[in-house]
Amino acid sequence: MKKMDNTATDSWIVDNNPDSSTVKNSCHPNLKMFLAALSFAYFAKALSGSYMKSTITQLERRFDIPSYLIGIIDGSFEIGNLLVIAFVSYFCAKLHRPKIIAVGCILMSFGTFLIAMPHFIIGRYKIETSIRSSVNSTNNLSPCPASSPESLRAGDRPSILPSRGCEKESSVSMWIYVLVGNILRGIGETPVQPLGISYIDDYAQSDNAALYIGCVQTISIIGPVFGYLLGSLCAKIYVDIGYVDMETITITPGDARWVGAWWLGYLIAGAITLMSAVPFWFLPKSLPMPVEKHDTNCTPEQTRFIKDSPGLKHMFRPEEPANLHLMASEFVPTLKSLLGNPVYTIYLCVTIVQFNSLIGMVTYKPKYIEQHYGQSASKANFLMGMINIPAVALGMFSGGVVMKKYKLSIMGAAKFAFGTSLLGYFLSLLFFAMGCENAKVAGITVSYSGLGGLSYQEQSLISDCNSDCSCTSREWDPVCGENGITYVSPCLAGCNSSTGSGKNTVFNNCKCLAVANTQPGNLTASLGQCPHRDSCEKVFPYFLAMSVLSSFIISLGGTPGFMLLVRCIKPELKSLALGIHTLATRTLAGIPAPIYFGAIIDTTCLKWGYKMCGGRGACRIYDTSAYRRVYLSLTLGLRTVSFFLCILGFALIKRHIRKEEKHVLTNGSAELETLRKEENSSIHCEQFVLALDCNPDRETRL
């Protein structure tokens, strides 16, 4: 059999040891290791990405920046992807994929550490407050200082004028470090998905590939669970914990000025991401491949030899040096072939629109819970991690199980994904009915007499009850009056004295409270905003329940929709298709969606904070009704557009299926004729061999 052995191994290295692990298991041990390593890498990148989204309000307040700028920072991750995704998906797919993924994980961890750096160089966080510390422990200072002509003309109190440290603080925008770090995270994350998924699909049994990818995607969704839980934990811890006396901090985690230990989570996430790079260094460039994936690439002699070998299930592709020049010359024709597939093109359009909706919704959902339902950042992140994300993970896994159990075709997968998305869409419409009224804030949402319908202007904060005080309308130091109305500051509440210290400070003789109160007496106010009404607290559980249900239903179509992408393209274009898909969705959805969502949300801000050195800072209070309208309308409006594109997609898929069936029928007849010719030639060959057996002088070849 010497000659046949040489023929069979010209292009492939065959593993025919019946006792090897490749025979006993359909999943090679190295493939199992790769699955575990890729799952951990997905977990790590998802954890750091979700932690970034859980800290958007913390970053807004720490760096005094508006939501649209936070959107730019959040979208910088996709900018990093954009820089290298095409190169990585095409060129690196033919190199050592596990080691390239390892390098990406290291770069991700470095970027995550860089995001935390501003905390160690920016100095201590200064709370915007009108409360001045007293010399003695009784703290009996007047929040309403005597007015003077100079202060009345200036309109601002001396305590908020720019300090001497302004030039130093404003010389460097510390959020630039966060932006650059997030770009590095995006560059490092680039090879994980396209190279990892294509690696699995190349070396796994065809029947198991969908299940393996579904498992990896499911485990990746566990990452955001821990990311949001980590965000919840860090949001409870004060930003300068260990460096300040917490007894002197007068704000609570529910305050609009509170900043948690945002930097701590990035250090933890960076360490986990660095650990995820280790296993990939020990994995080979290629693995034993199932024979079923090579029958079309083998000669008839190779295929016959492989199939006749007992216990043989895998072959090894020999590692050949990569020809970069040839790869570069083939790139443009390959890209034209890919984009010439109408099913793939319409799939791209649908996912781009849906990702705009999804990314914008997820990015600002914790903030929506904070602002609309009056929850703290810590609680909003906790609810996202413990309730919403597990529902998505369960939906993704269930979708993979449905895909495998019912063996959905391309059209079946498309119908299933469309149906679940449409049902989730109708459920999401109910969110419009689960709203809360604006908080009662004197001079902003209600008048000082307690009447609603006020059109806010900065001058409306000044009233007869506080006109004797030299109050500034720029400060945000809210107090809750006994009448249930929030006042922007103790001074604007007309309070004349205070007792207690720290968080227990109580303001007395507040004249503005008497305007909205019919009962005379010493009316007091305490630190912080007044809590939301009971009616809003009753609506919130229904919002959570509907959010969980709609997230689960929509995510059911995630895995079938992803497999639709893999199946509608040629196998040799798989890695490039995944890369272009990632490039398009992140460029046209990941980058712009957080920016324009943030810009539109900024239009609903009622009261802006101000930086110590002047200039507008972060928003302190929103018009919650307007916030709900623009946030939900934009989210659901984009999904409406995607459904119209899906109708066109179904027509293209049907045409694609008919074309494939016609191709199979045509080629089937040709292949049948070829097989008959091969069968006849094999009969003649056997007769020739028998004739040779009769010749004693023949040369032995077999």
Side-chain angles (χ1 to χ4, degrees):
M1 300 288 288
K2 183 178 179 181
K3 184 176 181 180
M4 186 172 286
D5 287 344
N6 290 338
T7 304
T9 56
D10 281 343
S11 302
W12 307 98
I13 299 174
V14 182
D15 181 10
N16 56 1
N17 181 6
D19 296 327
S20 68
S21 59
T22 58
V23 174
K24 295 178 181 179
N25 303 298
S26 61
C27 183
H28 192 272
N30 280 338
L31 181 58
K32 291 181 179 178
M33 182 179 176
F34 183 83
L35 282 171
L38 186 65
S39 298
F40 187 48
Y42 263 67
F43 170 83
K45 75 183 184 69
L47 183 146
S48 58
S50 58
Y51 183 76
M52 162 64 77
K53 294 189 181 298
S54 75
T55 59
I56 60 170
T57 54
Q58 312 294 312
L59 296 175
E60 276 185 30
R61 297 166 186 173
R62 185 65 185 95
F63 300 111
D64 268 326
I65 53 179
S67 294
Y68 84 89
L69 198 51
I70 281 290
I72 294 176
I73 294 174
D74 187 71
S76 63
F77 177 85
E78 276 69 32
I79 294 176
N81 270 262
L82 173 63
L83 296 175
V84 296
I85 185 67
F87 175 84
V88 168
S89 299
Y90 183 71
F91 292 98
C92 296
K94 303 181 181 181
L95 304 176
H96 199 303
R97 286 178 282 186
K99 287 188 178 179
I100 293 173
I101 294 174
V103 173
C105 291
I106 293 173
L107 196 57
M108 268 197 296
S109 66
F110 179 74
T112 308
F113 289 136
L114 184 62
I115 293 174
M117 184 181 293
H119 171 74
F120 302 98
I121 57 180
I122 197 174
R124 303 290 171 260
Y125 176 54
K126 298 178 179 63
I127 302 172
E128 177 191 359
T129 179
S130 59
I131 302 174
R132 295 165 291 169
S133 59
S134 60
V135 177
N136 55 32
S137 59
T138 59
N139 192 18
N140 195 21
L141 292 174
S142 172
C144 177
S147 60
S148 63
E150 291 79 7
S151 63
L152 288 175
R153 284 195 299 268
D156 285 324
R157 291 169 58 185
S159 61
I160 68 161
L161 292 177
S163 65
R164 294 181 179 179
C166 268
E167 293 80 6
K168 181 179 179 181
E169 181 178 339
S170 61
S171 61
V172 179
S173 296
M174 289 297 168
W175 58 267
I176 295 294
Y177 288 93
V178 182
L179 181 74
V180 174
N182 213 29
I183 290 176
L184 290 179
R185 278 189 58 245
I187 294 174
E189 191 267 351
T190 303
V192 177
Q193 178 175 339
L195 300 189
I197 296 298
S198 63
Y199 195 89
I200 290 175
D201 199 62
D202 281 346
Y203 300 117
Q205 297 284 350
S206 297
D207 293 341
N208 295 329
L211 182 61
Y212 292 158
I213 293 173
C215 289
V216 171
Q217 298 277 13
T218 301
I219 293 174
S220 73
I221 297 180
I222 299 176
V225 174
F226 288 89
Y228 279 107
L229 290 180
L230 181 61
S232 175
L233 176 63
C234 294
K236 288 182 180 179
I237 305 172
Y238 186 66
V239 60
D240 293 322
I241 186 71
Y243 296 96
V244 297
D245 181 8
M246 292 303 297
E247 295 297 326
T248 63
I249 304 300
T250 60
I251 58 176
T252 62
D255 196 285
R257 295 161 296 168
W258 175 271
V259 176
W262 59 273
W263 52 273
L264 180 60
Y266 287 110
L267 297 181
I268 297 173
I272 294 174
T273 307
L274 187 61
M275 291 169 55
S276 70
V278 176
F280 291 104
W281 291 107
F282 302 98
L283 287 164
K285 178 181 179 181
S286 59
L287 292 177
M289 303 179 73
V291 174
E292 62 188 27
K293 296 191 176 183
H294 297 304
D295 287 348
T296 57
N297 297 327
C298 298
T299 63
E301 290 82 3
Q302 289 173 332
T303 303
R304 191 177 300 114
F305 171 75
I306 293 166
K307 290 183 176 179
D308 291 343
S309 300
L312 183 61
K313 293 187 178 180
H314 296 83
M315 292 189 305
F316 290 88
R317 186 198 302 270
E319 297 186 9
E320 300 177 357
N323 189 337
L324 295 179
H325 176 72
L326 179 62
M327 292 160 58
S329 63
E330 293 177 349
F331 177 72
V332 174
T334 304
L335 184 61
K336 288 178 65 177
S337 175
L338 177 64
L339 297 180
N341 185 337
V343 176
Y344 179 75
T345 304
I346 196 65
Y347 182 91
L348 271 184
C349 295
V350 171
T351 52
I352 285 170
V353 176
Q354 289 191 342
F355 270 54
N356 270 273
S357 174
L358 177 65
I359 292 172
M361 183 268 293
V362 171
T363 301
Y364 294 101
K365 190 168 187 177
K367 184 172 182 175
Y368 177 75
I369 294 174
E370 289 178 51
Q371 298 295 330
H372 197 73
Y373 296 101
Q375 307 296 324
S376 66
S378 176
K379 187 174 181 180
N381 291 328
F382 178 81
L383 292 172
M384 284 287 292
M386 287 301 294
I387 298 178
N388 218 75
I389 302 300
V392 175
L394 181 61
M396 292 286 288
F397 179 76
S398 301
V401 172
V402 170
M403 186 85 180
K404 180 175 175 63
K405 182 177 180 179
Y406 296 100
K407 301 184 184 301
L408 296 179
S409 62
I410 292 180
M411 180 58 74
K415 289 180 178 179
F416 184 78
F418 178 79
T420 55
S421 181
L422 189 62
L423 180 57
Y425 171 83
F426 287 125
L427 290 176
S428 299
L429 292 174
L430 298 176
F431 291 144
F432 282 103
M434 299 178 183
C436 295
E437 296 179 357
N438 284 318
K440 292 184 177 181
V441 182
I444 295 181
T445 60
V446 296
S447 65
Y448 277 89
S449 61
L451 300 177
L454 179 67
S455 180
Y456 170 67
Q457 295 178 350
E458 194 167 315
Q459 295 81 2
S460 61
L461 290 173
I462 306 300
S463 180
D464 293 338
C465 60
N466 56 33
S467 59
D468 293 337
C469 305
S470 56
C471 301
T472 175
S473 58
R474 291 192 170 190
E475 286 181 347
W476 177 259
D477 194 17
V479 292
C480 178
E482 288 184 71
N483 55 3
I485 297 177
T486 299
Y487 295 85
V488 172
S489 69
C491 180
L492 289 172
C495 303
N496 292 320
S497 63
S498 63
T499 57
S501 61
K503 297 177 184 177
N504 299 319
T505 302
V506 176
F507 301 93
N508 305 308
N509 299 317
C510 302
K511 292 185 291 184
C512 291
L513 273 68
V515 175
N517 192 48
T518 57
Q519 298 180 358
N522 178 20
L523 298 176
T524 63
S526 56
L527 286 173
Q529 287 183 247
C530 295
H532 279 244
R533 297 192 307 172
D534 293 339
S535 59
C536 189
E537 292 292 334
K538 292 178 181 178
V539 171
F540 186 55
Y542 293 102
F543 168 81
L544 288 179
M546 192 58 62
S547 177
V548 169
L549 182 60
S550 61
S551 298
F552 171 77
I553 292 175
I554 293 172
S555 60
L556 276 173
T559 301
F562 191 79
M563 292 309 298
L564 173 64
L565 166 64
V566 175
R567 290 183 178 180
C568 72
I569 55 176
K570 299 177 182 178
E572 62 270 19
L573 301 178
K574 199 162 22 189
S575 180
L576 179 62
L578 290 170
I580 296 298
H581 175 263
T582 304
L583 170 67
T585 53
R586 289 182 170 172
T587 304
L588 302 177
I591 295 175
I595 299 174
Y596 66 75
F597 264 81
I600 291 176
I601 289 172
D602 282 340
T603 62
T604 66
C605 182
L606 293 176
K607 180 73 173 69
W608 291 95
Y610 288 87
K611 300 179 182 179
M612 185 177 63
C613 302
R616 197 173 73 175
C619 184
R620 300 306 186 191
I621 185 172
Y622 290 87
D623 182 343
T624 55
S625 298
Y627 192 149
R628 182 179 77 253
R629 288 193 299 270
V630 300
Y631 175 73
L632 295 178
S633 298
L634 192 55
T635 301
L636 297 176
L638 288 168
R639 287 170 62 185
T640 303
V641 174
S642 72
F643 291 142
F644 287 105
L645 293 174
C646 285
I647 297 173
L648 176 60
F650 278 117
L652 291 175
I653 291 175
K654 288 181 179 178
R655 191 176 72 176
H656 174 77
I657 292 174
R658 285 196 297 267
K659 183 179 178 181
E660 289 294 320
E661 289 175 348
K662 183 179 179 181
H663 178 74
V664 169
L665 290 175
T666 304
N667 287 354
S669 301
E671 289 175 2
L672 182 60
E673 184 65 26
T674 303
L675 288 174
R676 287 175 179 172
K677 290 181 180 179
E678 288 182 358
E679 185 178 357
N680 293 332
S681 64
S682 65
I683 294 174
H684 293 310
C685 182
E686 289 176 2
Q687 293 174 351
F688 178 70
V689 170
L690 290 174
L692 288 175
D693 286 339
C694 299
N695 184 2
D697 297 329
R698 68 179 177 83
E699 180 182 357
T700 303
R701 298 282 185 181
L702 299 175

